């Protein structure tokens, strides 16, 4: 195992990784931008280095600065968290050339899966069902129209390099397809630096169900069950739970096996997530792989008792998996609510600012992942996530009741947050019956 690790991230996930390192006796090196100078969680690291000004391009995304800190601190490994450089193949490549272990997949798997078009082709090759659509990036308007006629409207235009819920456009007819295509290309170029787009059938009233996997460097791959992330706004997750209210044991096993086949085909190593959509007839379709730890990983940790960050570090240091598929037995029902500094009534617009009082719920079956506290100033430059509230119950209804209680207890004054929104979802009949779908918040709840 490593003796010193740099955490190339900020906020709750940086703290989350530091916690596991401390428990494992690994020394930690934190990095921070000027906007995070003095942040309380940085005190829990053994060493900390300022890597630049608040703008991400000059700090958390600046490979040179992070590598410089890693060299000065003489670390053996870098944990990238999620977002920022976590899925950046060039960063993983630079780490490799500096002989620093990147706690994530090999460069080749990262570049392959970072391109959603290539990832879909790979899934097909591994015998994993994919959403019907273009076999590659769409070449021109003519090809797009032909394809849309073949698969039938509505269709979705997606950026090959997309992520974070961005770069998607639903299209309902020929007239809007051509204009949407041009707009999507332009947007993708600006947002992701690559204009390639592809077309998929728009799966209506779908559940988003993803499979957490662990793969070691010795060819062993296991899945840790699923997370249902159907409660979303603008393609971004707000609530995640396990087990999924729509999966049967048979479907779970089929999806788990499909995920394992796919990551084996990709030569993937470390923790990762294979995302699927499940339609109302319970057909499942691969959409993408997230080649990193995910925001919602604690849901799986609470259900399985595993520490995914520990497994990531062990895998990156070359250890074989300590579990076989039969050793993984998730129990109970776990729900996570993302507490964001956002105003749900203003289209979930970010509302950074000073938190006056922060008093999170606690007690049996409650986990809070956060870096904030009373008096903390949420900086405007970064993600609006301030806390993750994860609750475990005996079954789904028990978990929902406990989550309602935890949200009612949660005191967060000074800035608007998603707490009241979550409370509304947890009372909504569609959610209670598991009959919600990925557009349910946008189309029904907020109407
Ligand atoms: P998860 O599936 O783990 O919830 P998200 O899609 O919510 O993943 O992304 C996790 C984090 O990474 C968020 O902070 C999100 O803003 C960021 N992120 C993901 N992909 C991108 C991307 N392509 N560009 C910028 N930020 C991204
Ligand atoms: P990102 O990289 O931004 O996470 P994904 O491909 O994972 O993009 O899709 C994010 C979300 O967008 C999904 O959870 C789902 O709500 C929606 N989505 C993606 N593809 C489709 C599709 N073919 N049909 C319907 N909804 C989709
Ligand atoms: Mg996704």
């Amino acid at each position: 195992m490593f003796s010193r690790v740099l955490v190339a991230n900020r906020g709750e996930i940086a703290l989350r990784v530091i916690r596991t390192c401390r428990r494992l006796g690994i020394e930690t090196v934190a990095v921070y931008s000027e906007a995070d100078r003095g942040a309380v969680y940085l005190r829990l690291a053994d060493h900390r280095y300022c890597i630049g000004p608040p703008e991400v391009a000059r700090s958390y995304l600046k490979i040179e600065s992070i590598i410089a800190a890693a060299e000065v601190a003489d670390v053996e490994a870098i944990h990238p968290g999620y977002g920022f450089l976590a899925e950046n193949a060039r960063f993983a490549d630079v780490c490799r050339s500096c002989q620093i272990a990147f706690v994530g997949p090999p460069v080749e798997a990262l570049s392959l899966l970072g391109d959603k078009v290539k990832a879909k082709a790979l899934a097909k090759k591994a015998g994993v069902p994919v959403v019907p659509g273009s076999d590659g990036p769409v070449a021109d308007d003519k090809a797009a129209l032909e394809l849309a006629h073949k698969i039938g409207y509505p269709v979705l235009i997606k950026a090959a390099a997309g992520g974070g819920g961005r770069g998607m456009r639903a299209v309902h007819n020929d007239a809007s397809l051509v204009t949407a295509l041009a707009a999507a290309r332009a947007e993708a170029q600006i947002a992701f630096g690559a204009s390639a787009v592809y077309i998929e059938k728009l799966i209506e009233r779908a559940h988003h169900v993803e499979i957490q996997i662990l793969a070691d460097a010795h060819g062993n791959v296991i899945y840790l069950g699923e997370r249902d992330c159907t409660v979303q706004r603008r393609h971004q997750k707000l609530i995640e739970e396990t087990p999924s209210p729509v999966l049967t044991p048979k479907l779970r096993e089929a999806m788990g096996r499909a995920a394992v086949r796919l990551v084996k085909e990709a030569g993937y190593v470390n923790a990762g997530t294979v995302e699927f959509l499940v339609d109302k007839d319970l057909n499942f379709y691969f959409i993408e792989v997230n080649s990193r730890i995910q925001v919602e990983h604690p849901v799986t940790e609470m259900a399985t008792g595993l520490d995914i960050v520990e497994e990531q570090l062990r895998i990156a240091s070359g250890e074989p998996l300590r579990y076989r598929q039969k050793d993984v037995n998730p129990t109970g029902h776990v729900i996570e609510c993302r507490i964001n500094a956002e105003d749900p009534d203003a289209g979930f617009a970010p509302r950074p600012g000073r938190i006056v009082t922060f008093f999170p719920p606690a007690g049996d079956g409650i986990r809070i992942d956060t870096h904030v506290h009373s008096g903390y100033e949420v900086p405007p430059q970064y993600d609006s996530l301030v806390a993750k509230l994860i609750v475990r119950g005996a079954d789904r209804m028990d978990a929902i009741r406990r989550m309602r209680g935890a949200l009612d207890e949660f005191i967060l004054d000074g800035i608007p947050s998603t707490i009241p929104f979550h409370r509304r979802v947890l009372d909504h009949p569609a959610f209670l019956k598991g009959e919600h779908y990925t557009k349910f918040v946008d189309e029904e709840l907020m109407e």
Side-chain angles (χ1 to χ4, degrees):
M1 181 49 89
F2 307 118
S3 55
R4 195 179 299 142
V5 170
L6 182 140
V7 184
N9 214 298
R10 64 176 300 282
E12 69 86 16
I13 192 64
L15 173 53
R16 160 76 192 84
V17 174
I18 290 169
R19 276 194 183 121
T20 290
C21 290
R22 285 169 65 111
R23 183 169 61 74
L24 297 176
I26 300 170
E27 248 184 78
T28 53
V29 179
V31 294
Y32 61 94
S33 75
E34 281 159 22
D36 288 327
R37 185 185 296 282
V40 169
Y41 70 87
L42 293 169
R43 288 193 222 162
L44 299 179
D46 296 295
H47 312 275
R48 61 221 120 247
Y49 293 90
C50 183
I51 45 162
E55 306 94 277
V56 291
R58 297 170 68 200
S59 51
Y60 296 109
L61 283 179
K62 194 161 180 195
I63 295 176
E64 297 83 344
S65 305
I66 287 165
I67 294 294
E71 293 288 3
V72 170
D74 196 22
V75 299
E76 297 160 84
I78 297 182
H79 194 300
Y82 55 72
F84 296 132
L85 297 170
E87 293 175 276
N88 186 308
R90 196 173 85 81
F91 180 60
D93 196 29
V94 173
C95 288
R96 182 155 73 182
S97 64
C98 295
Q99 293 180 318
I100 298 169
F102 173 76
V103 182
V107 181
E108 296 71 23
L110 210 49
S111 7
L112 182 64
L113 298 171
D115 183 328
K116 293 178 172 190
V117 172
K118 288 189 190 152
K120 272 184 87 170
L122 186 94
K124 265 193 177 171
K125 203 171 147 213
V128 175
V130 301
V131 184
S134 50
D135 281 328
V138 280
D140 51 33
D141 294 352
K142 188 169 159 276
L145 285 162
E146 272 169 22
L147 190 77
H149 293 165
K150 200 176 116 207
I151 61 178
Y153 289 105
V155 299
L156 193 63
I157 306 176
K158 298 174 76 171
R166 295 171 313 141
M168 271 173 270
R169 256 161 200 266
V171 178
H172 297 266
N173 51 52
D174 281 357
S176 44
L177 182 64
V178 174
T179 44
L181 202 58
R185 280 191 211 285
E187 256 174 40
Q189 181 63 44
I190 294 166
F192 312 108
S195 66
V197 296
Y198 62 109
I199 292 180
E200 269 181 9
K201 174 92 187 150
L202 183 82
I203 309 290
E204 293 177 285
R205 299 190 75 90
H207 271 250
H208 172 116
V209 181
E210 57 188 34
I211 305 289
Q212 172 73 55
I213 63 94
L214 290 178
D216 67 18
H218 311 279
N220 305 300
V221 185
I222 57 171
Y223 61 95
L224 306 182
E226 82 278 12
R227 292 180 292 255
D228 188 305
C229 315
T230 301
V231 180
Q232 309 180 346
R233 54 99 171 73
R234 281 182 264 111
H235 311 301
Q236 290 177 329
K237 301 160 189 168
L238 288 164
I239 299 181
E240 302 95 352
E241 62 180 313
T242 195
S244 165
V246 296
L247 253 53
T248 60
K250 212 174 136 210
L251 184 55
R252 174 172 302 115
E253 194 184 328
M255 291 175 69
R257 287 185 176 195
V260 168
R261 281 202 304 279
L262 198 160
V263 303
K264 279 191 173 162
E265 186 74 41
Y268 194 94
V269 176
N270 215 284
T273 300
V274 184
E275 296 189 328
F276 297 95
L277 293 177
V278 176
D279 72 12
K280 52 185 186 319
D281 302 317
L282 298 186
N283 299 300
F284 67 92
Y285 308 94
F286 166 78
I287 49 172
E288 67 156 346
V289 176
N290 286 154
S291 309
R292 55 173 158 86
I293 188 126
Q294 275 187 297
V295 174
E296 59 273 23
H297 75 278
V299 169
T300 301
E301 293 185 334
M302 290 270 275
T304 59
L306 267 77
D307 177 333
I308 296 176
V309 172
E310 173 175 357
E311 300 311 322
Q312 285 193 291
L313 291 163
R314 289 186 182 279
I315 291 167
S317 74
E319 286 184 31
L321 285 182
R322 300 178 297 161
Y323 310 92
R324 290 174 188 278
Q325 193 59 51
K326 64 170 171 45
D327 303 324
V328 181
N329 296 299
T331 54
H333 197 99
V334 184
I335 306 180
E336 174 182 272
C337 288
R338 297 194 192 193
I339 315 299
N340 298 336
E342 290 172 1
D343 184 354
D345 294 320
F348 293 92
R351 293 280 187 263
R354 200 175 119 90
I355 296 174
V356 178
T357 313
F358 186 79
F359 187 72
D364 189 30
I366 294 180
R367 169 172 167 178
I368 300 272
D369 279 24
T370 186
H371 61 293
V372 313
H373 48 83
S374 297
Y376 179 84
E377 181 89 29
V378 179
Q381 291 87 1
Y382 313 118
D383 205 270
S384 54
L385 182 74
V386 293
K388 301 188 303 206
L389 169 58
I390 310 105
V391 167
R392 186 190 152 92
D395 55 32
R396 188 164 189 259
M397 207 50 226
D398 184 44
I400 289 174
R401 283 199 201 95
R402 285 167 185 260
M403 181 59 92
R404 286 179 186 148
L407 290 165
D408 290 343
E409 246 185 62
F410 209 136
I411 302 175
L412 201 175
D413 292 338
I415 51 167
S417 83
T418 48
I419 293 174
F421 162 83
H422 287 304
R423 198 63 188 73
R424 277 176 63 191
V425 177
L426 294 183
D427 279 339
H428 197 285
F431 178 78
L432 294 177
K433 283 187 245 160
E435 287 171 1
H436 55 306
Y437 50 97
T438 54
K439 299 295 282 175
F440 147 84
V441 171
D442 302 324
E443 287 173 5
E444 280 186 49
L445 196 88
M446 299 310 288
E447 282 312 299

